Amino acid sequence: MRDVIAIYPGSFDPVTNGHLDLIARGARIFDRLIVAVLQNLDKAPLFSARERTDMLRQVTQEWSNVEVDLFDGLLVDYVRRRHAQVILRGIRAISDYEYEFQMALMNRRLEPGVETVFMMPAEKYSYVSSRLVREVAQLGGPIDGLVPALVVEKLKSKVH
Ligand code: PNS
């Protein structure tokens, strides 16, 4: 059987323990998992594309079948370029569902040959998002346990 390559796309501004939990699950299921960082975000990111990919590379070192890359433009174009068959996305709660459902169907319309696969991160991360982590860090609150230790340090130096 051919190797199944999955793309896990996102902003990762910054990577959280919820993202890492999903990467661990994806790395177990798929032959190769490419974590694809969206380069140009609508809103100015806290971390540059380079910083976001560097952090991801450092915290995913333990998985030999996980790669971190940057992408821009349409996700399905990138998926085609990388010869991937799957887009992996995480669903934490019902509130994620509508947006994810719309994106999955739009991506299917744009490229019917690619399947979106949803996985659930551990329930202890169901409320963790990059946006809330950034907000808490910027307001001086504790973020230990929500993001990898390396990201805690990067966030601290970024907001001070
Ligand atoms: O982690 P995020 O910010 O929810 O990730 C959103 C992302 C990067 C998956 C989405 O914005 C995306 O795929 N952007 C690329 C542009 C694109 O293909 N848009 C049409 C998607 S239906």
Side-chain angles (χ1 to χ4, degrees), residues 18-38:
H19 293 133
L20 270 190
D21 181 276
L22 213 78
I23 291 169
R25 290 170 200 280
R28 278 203 296 270
I29 299 276
F30 301 108
D31 297 298
R32 279 176 60 204
L33 181 64
I34 302 171
V35 183
V37 178
L38 181 62

Side-chain angles (χ1 to χ4, degrees), residues 52-121:
R52 285 178 280 140
T53 46
D54 279 354
M55 282 187 278
L56 268 164
R57 284 200 180 105
Q58 289 182 61
V59 299
T60 56
Q61 272 174 2
E62 67 185 271
W63 295 286
S64 58
N65 62 337
V66 174
E67 179 195 334
V68 178
D69 193 15
L70 273 174
F71 84 103
D72 227 337
L74 271 184
L75 174 61
V76 290
D77 287 338
Y78 175 76
V79 171
R80 275 192 288 254
R81 275 204 304 283
R82 298 305 311 262
H83 306 290
Q85 301 91 334
V86 170
I87 295 170
L88 173 64
R89 290 285 290 175
I91 291 208
R92 293 163 297 190
I94 290 292
S95 50
D96 283 337
Y97 179 78
E98 196 167 334
Y99 170 60
E100 294 298 333
F101 184 70
Q102 283 182 345
M103 275 207 307
L105 291 184
M106 182 61 81
N107 283 327
R108 177 180 282 169
R109 180 194 158 93
L110 294 169
E111 176 47 77
V114 171
E115 285 300 328
T116 298
V117 172
F118 295 112
M119 294 178 89
M120 290 169 289

